[in-house]
Amino acid sequence: MPKRFLRSLLGFATTFLVLSVLIFALMEIVPGDIASAMLGTAATPETVAALRAELGLDAPALQRYLAWVGGLLTGDLGTSLAYRVPVSGLIAERMAVTLPLTLMAATLAVALALPLGVLAAARPGGPMDVLATLYAQVGIAVPNFWIGLLLILFVSLWLGLLPASGFPGWDGGLLPGLRALLLPALALAIPQSAVLTRVTRASVVEAMNEDFVRTARAKGASVRRALWRHAVPNALVPVVTMLGLQFSFLIAGAVLVENVFSLPGMGRLAWQALAQRDLIVIQNVVFLFAAIVIAVNFVVDLLYTVLDPRLRRRA
Amino acid sequence: MAARTASALLACLVLGLPALALPASAQPRTDLVLGMISEPPTLDPSAAAPITIGQVVWQNLFEGLTRVDRDGAVVPQLAESWSVSQDGLAYTFTLREGVTFHNGQPFNAGSARYTIERILAEGSTNPQRAAYAVIEAVETPDDRTLVLRLSRPSGDLPFRLAQPAAVMVEETSSGTNGTEPVGTGPFRFSDWRRGNEVTLTRSPDYWDEAGAARLEQATFRFIPDPQAAAAALQAGDVDAFPLFPAPELYPTFEADERFQAEPGLTQMKVVAGLNSERAPLDDPRVRQALMMAVDRQTLIEAVASGFGLAIGSHHTPSDPGYADLTGVHSYDPEAARALLAEAGYPDGFPLTIKAPQMPYAARSAEILQALLAEVGVQITIQPTEFPASWVQQVLTERDYEMTIIAHGEPLDIGIYARDPYYFNYRNPAFDETVAAAGEAVEEGERARLYGEAQAILAEDVPALFLYLQPKLSVWRAGLEGYWIDEPVPSNDLTEVRWTE
């Protein structure tokens, strides 16, 4: 176990190193810089040069790269070039929106998909199955920002139940914050739950046809018991895999949905920083996104071993 | 029991909903949430160019020696009055007494001098530094007197001093104005939740009792998506959108009695810049032919749902000496084709336009493509990210044939005399005229010279002059005191109040 742990730790370090070089190099070749962005049509060669010097952009690339990575290792994410405030604070503020949003969406997606998928699998071809298949098809086909617009139209504008945009901040209380996140989370969750419904259904149907379920049935287990006690737990591995894979889609989807609901989350931060060429912010945000995806994959990996004892022995 | 509870709950929900939507009391509100498309990166207008900075802080938080009023006229502000010396080389300002900054420091000749010298300093990043370069020396004979000595006369100076880039700042807070601005205005800085909103609150000890803010609190909320902007207005999440981003949705708000929607004009001149150094655009006849191929009204209809004003030169109606010059090379595809043939291009020629991704620019490029195809000019549209890529490729490297952008600086006709500048336009007669116009102190003379400079551009066409962007403001009914037009990039909220 310690050996395996060390090996994956080394793997992580290499991944992150390569990632940091890649991100930094990409930012170097993007045309335009923050001095041009900040000065716009008023830019003159003198003011651009003055601003670049003030921001420390005239230093060699290697020096700036080392400063960034050195900062990362000591937990200092640097200062935003555009806003001139610490990047860590900016990211913390935004994570306080995006993290609850994606977690809410993931929870909603599972809460919608699991019962629907299992019920559909319980009686293939039955009315519940038809409904679930229809839901899955529509949910996969319709993009989340469009669902967001529909939710705004019906729930916010017609029914007046929930706000259409913006985020009041958590200091205003838990409830207003959750209210603001409910519609965006739903918009994000529906396409994900559609995929998950499909995977759950297929996986449970497959498990129901496995020998061990047949054995259980032969030994007198009811359909319901065979389904819940034997088939569903065994069908969870592919569902968890899918959820892990989809986490990166959730983050990517959050960028679009944050725009539709005008939420001050990580997606907005990344988008704005890119337009402004606020390199230090983009570098850190992209790095963080990548780190989250890698970490989620790691957790999913661990979950496999919990869910499937066979994998434990193999390791 | 359970059923009764449930139905009671349902009844509460159904009956309670409208009640929740109503304000708690009949007292007029004293707060305002105002929507803007993009967020300023900093709140210091003397440190960066984005006009969004002025749209939040100018007049609300920061004030200048002079200011531009809602009609575009230059009037006194922190300077009570001023006089010009006989030779036009010295401006003497008498400063207002009893003015303090939000941090308690007094405003006096010392802070005015500090502000001006900071703009002019070596290595200053003030985006409009060039506009103040005419100031040679700053003198402060006493606490209430500021003398600016100029290298040449400048009738534009009081107007330039009224711009966001020249607001008065205080020395100990000047380094942190970007994040925690300290000014002398009727509102003071309260909070900035980055990516979301900036909040200003009324300054309790504003120097001008009559001009104090009517609102207790003003929140600027940033909503980049046009659909989201419309939804936020309709759901009541924001009370106003002074520059509503979706012209095609504007008529809905005009028809909705919950809102007041009155289109005005900005100072944003949308022009399609031509690189006068590249053949065949170096031939004035070719540029004139391109201008004659453009039906501005059709373009305005397609791009801005008919809102906005066609322009024939780089001037707005509030600029000195403005004349409607759209008739100089008015729409006439027949004549355009003849002129192109005369210049040696009977079959037209191919042209690439670098179009920023903003909706107005992208749409304008498409309409230009269609209109110019009529005279044989085949346009390739090359989307160019604004600001970063566009500024580097077009503005800095001048590597382009044709582009399109809205110029937002007020009274910036002088950019065509700049060398280097992206038009690569060189005309000594224009340079002289516009320089003389800037120096003219007497109003009539100033207007006449600016009028002449404008006419030269209309004739020479260094850029296709298209239209002035409309100010499509939407305000919730019951609000008054806001500006219809936008002569300076700003949202002056001083007089805004709720009447119901």
Side-chain angles (χ1 to χ4, degrees):
Chain A
M1 195 62 179
K3 204 172 160 195
R4 187 191 168 189
F5 185 72
L6 266 179
R7 204 164 356 121
S8 52
L9 207 66
L10 201 70
F12 271 152
T14 321
T15 313
F16 281 129
L17 188 71
V18 172
L19 202 66
S20 70
V21 173
L22 211 68
I23 292 171
F24 189 84
L26 274 175
M27 289 304 119
E28 284 297 298
I29 56 169
V30 175
D33 68 351
I34 186 160
S36 323
M38 294 276 278
L39 294 166
T41 50
T44 64
E46 298 84 53
T47 45
V48 169
L51 191 55
R52 285 181 61 89
E54 194 183 307
L55 296 171
L57 289 177
D58 39 7
L62 185 67
Q63 192 182 327
R64 283 181 287 117
Y65 171 74
L66 290 177
W68 174 46
V69 173
L72 274 184
L73 290 175
T74 56
D76 175 15
L77 303 188
T79 307
S80 157
L81 298 174
Y83 284 133
R84 317 268 175 111
V85 294
V87 178
S88 50
L90 280 179
I91 289 183
E93 268 172 39
R94 307 305 183 92
M95 278 310 259
V97 178
T98 302
L99 210 59
L101 174 67
T102 39
L103 288 180
M104 237 168 124
T107 314
L108 279 172
V110 172
L112 284 169
L114 272 189
L116 209 56
V118 172
L119 287 177
R123 215 174 291 247
M128 208 49 216
D129 192 21
V130 173
L131 199 74
T133 309
L134 190 73
Y135 173 74
Q137 266 167 358
V138 173
I140 290 168
V142 178
N144 49 26
F145 66 87
W146 176 244
I147 298 176
L149 287 175
L150 287 184
L151 287 173
I152 289 178
L153 187 64
F154 289 114
V155 183
S156 299
L157 298 187
W158 288 12
L159 299 174
L161 287 177
L162 291 166
S165 68
F167 184 71
W170 295 111
D171 44 351
L174 194 63
L175 199 66
L178 289 179
R179 271 170 56 91
L181 291 186
L182 188 57
L183 287 189
L186 204 57
L188 204 51
I190 287 174
Q192 309 299 325
S193 71
V195 177
L196 281 180
T197 303
R198 218 176 237 193
V199 173
T200 310
R201 182 195 171 277
S203 170
V204 173
V205 165
E206 199 187 325
M208 285 294 274
N209 293 325
E210 295 271 355
D211 290 344
F212 66 91
V213 176
R214 212 172 306 146
T215 312
R217 287 279 286 143
K219 286 167 85 178
S222 66
V223 175
R224 179 177 290 192
R225 190 176 156 77
L227 183 70
W228 289 106
R229 184 74 188 86
H230 298 281
V232 170
N234 279 287
L236 278 182
V237 173
V239 175
V240 169
T241 315
M242 204 47 181
L243 196 64
L245 279 178
Q246 283 199 310
F247 201 79
S248 44
F249 286 105
L250 270 183
I251 290 184
V255 176
L256 287 176
V257 166
E258 279 170 13
N259 202 33
V260 171
F261 287 90
S262 128
L263 292 174
M266 292 289 280
R268 275 269 290 283
L269 181 66
W271 179 261
Q272 224 174 358
L274 191 62
Q276 285 284 347
R277 295 291 187 272
D278 196 343
L279 298 187
I280 188 84
V281 172
I282 313 170
Q283 283 163 209
N284 285 310
V285 168
V286 174
F287 196 74
L288 188 69
F289 275 160
I292 290 175
V293 170
I294 291 170
V296 166
N297 281 332
F298 182 66
V299 171
V300 168
D301 225 36
L302 282 180
L303 271 179
Y304 285 162
T305 50
V306 174
L307 289 171
D308 192 339
R310 283 170 297 175
L311 290 174
R312 239 174 296 174
R313 275 195 300 277
R314 226 177 282 165
Chain B
M1 185 62 195
R4 253 180 54 202
T5 317
S7 53
L9 251 158
L10 193 71
C12 281
L13 216 62
V14 171
L15 296 174
L17 279 177
L20 282 175
L22 286 174
S25 73
Q27 281 289 318
R29 282 171 55 192
T30 54
D31 67 317
L32 178 82
V33 182
L34 183 139
M36 280 172 61
I37 317 260
S38 31
E39 180 180 34
T42 151
L43 293 180
D44 183 354
S46 70
I51 59 175
T52 48
I53 304 172
Q55 284 170 342
V56 174
V57 298
W58 188 79
Q59 289 310 303
N60 296 324
L61 198 149
F62 285 116
E63 297 176 312
L65 290 176
T66 56
R67 77 174 180 110
V68 171
D69 70 11
R70 59 174 79 211
D71 304 313
V74 180
V75 296
Q77 190 159 49
L78 294 179
E80 256 169 15
S81 62
W82 61 88
S83 59
V84 196
S85 64
Q86 272 295 311
D87 57 5
L89 290 174
Y91 272 79
T92 305
F93 294 88
T94 305
L95 307 182
R96 214 170 279 281
E97 260 180 315
V99 178
T100 49
F101 285 96
H102 299 144
N103 63 359
Q105 295 294 316
F107 165 77
N108 53 33
S111 27
R113 174 188 184 141
Y114 171 77
T115 303
I116 306 280
E117 286 180 343
R118 181 167 169 266
I119 295 173
L120 301 171
E122 195 70 37
S124 149
T125 52
N126 189 296
Q128 301 301 321
R129 187 178 174 221
Y132 308 101
V134 62
I135 303 170
E136 217 169 40
V138 187
E139 289 163 18
T140 48
D142 64 67
D143 248 15
R144 285 191 61 200
T145 312
L146 178 80
V147 183
L148 301 181
R149 302 220 173 266
L150 313 183
S151 53
R152 53 175 201 279
S154 172
D156 286 345
L157 191 68
F159 179 80
R160 301 279 179 222
L161 289 173
Q163 299 303 313
V167 293
M168 291 294 123
V169 300
E170 184 271 323
E171 189 164 356
T172 61
S173 55
S174 65
T176 49
N177 274 339
T179 50
E180 253 175 280
V182 170
T184 58
F187 291 94
R188 55 168 63 200
F189 175 72
S190 167
D191 190 25
W192 184 359
R193 302 229 314 273
R194 286 174 181 76
N196 198 21
E197 57 189 31
V198 170
T199 307
L200 308 180
T201 50
R202 181 155 72 171
S203 175
D205 42 13
Y206 184 56
W207 57 269
D208 180 10
E209 256 173 57
R214 315 295 202 273
L215 296 168
E216 289 290 339
Q217 181 175 309
T219 302
F220 296 81
R221 187 166 296 163
F222 311 111
I223 305 179
D225 184 71
Q227 294 290 341
L233 271 170
Q234 274 162 342
D237 299 341
V238 300
D239 303 309
F241 229 107
L243 286 167
F244 185 67
E248 62 280 3
L249 296 178
Y250 196 64
T252 334
F253 288 99
E254 285 184 305
D256 189 335
E257 57 187 27
R258 291 178 300 158
F259 298 100
Q260 308 167 74
E262 208 171 329
L265 288 174
T266 66
Q267 70 301 319
M268 305 282 284
K269 294 147 282 233
V270 180
V271 306
L274 303 170
N275 189 344
S276 289
E277 231 167 41
R278 294 264 176 106
L281 299 171
D282 53 353
D283 185 338
R285 288 173 301 181
V286 171
R287 301 196 301 264
Q288 287 161 351
L290 294 183
M291 190 72 257
M292 285 193 282
V294 176
D295 180 359
R296 295 181 181 92
Q297 221 49 55
T298 299
L299 185 114
I300 294 172
E301 207 56 59
V303 176
S305 300
F307 299 104
L309 179 76
I311 49 170
S313 187
H314 202 91
H315 238 36
T316 75
S318 61
D319 289 334
Y322 172 80
D324 180 358
L325 298 174
T326 48
V328 174
H329 293 294
S330 59
Y331 179 54
D332 189 347
E334 204 64 42
R337 272 189 292 265
L339 201 54
L340 278 180
E342 191 189 311
Y345 300 93
D347 305 317
F349 56 89
L351 201 60
T352 300
I353 181 167
K354 287 197 171 165
Q357 79 282 19
M358 289 88 82
Y360 77 86
R363 284 188 215 172
S364 295
E366 282 164 24
I367 305 300
L368 287 177
Q369 187 180 41
L371 288 168
L372 293 181
E374 296 283 307
V375 299
V377 176
Q378 307 96 37
I379 290 203
T380 308
I381 298 175
Q382 195 177 319
T384 308
E385 192 202 350
F386 186 88
S389 298
W390 186 89
V391 170
Q392 182 175 334
Q393 292 172 22
V394 177
L395 199 63
T396 310
E397 292 164 8
R398 302 193 294 287
D399 177 19
Y400 79 105
E401 291 178 326
M402 185 175 181
T403 186
I404 184 157
I405 198 75
H407 278 272
E409 299 300 331
L411 193 58
D412 60 346
I413 191 170
I415 56 177
Y416 295 90
R418 256 190 228 171
D419 192 17
Y421 203 58
Y422 78 99
F423 304 111
N424 283 327
Y425 172 64
R426 281 171 197 96
N427 181 345
F430 174 79
D431 297 354
E432 271 168 39
T433 313
V434 90
E439 288 177 14
V441 177
E442 199 269 310
E443 269 313 309
E445 179 71 354
R446 185 165 167 255
R448 186 185 66 76
L449 286 163
Y450 270 124
E452 250 175 56
Q454 220 186 140
I456 297 175
L457 292 187
E459 184 54 40
D460 253 5
V461 201
L464 305 183
F465 301 106
L466 302 175
Y467 69 101
L468 214 54
Q469 275 184 354
K471 182 181 182 183
L472 296 180
S473 53
V474 178
W475 293 77
R476 189 155 285 279
L479 275 160
E480 60 175 47
Y482 51 85
W483 291 22
I484 303 289
D485 295 318
E486 193 184 84
V488 183
S490 71
N491 291 301
D492 186 338
L493 298 180
T494 316
E495 292 172 21
V496 173
R497 65 175 179 277
W498 293 92
T499 56
E500 53 189 56

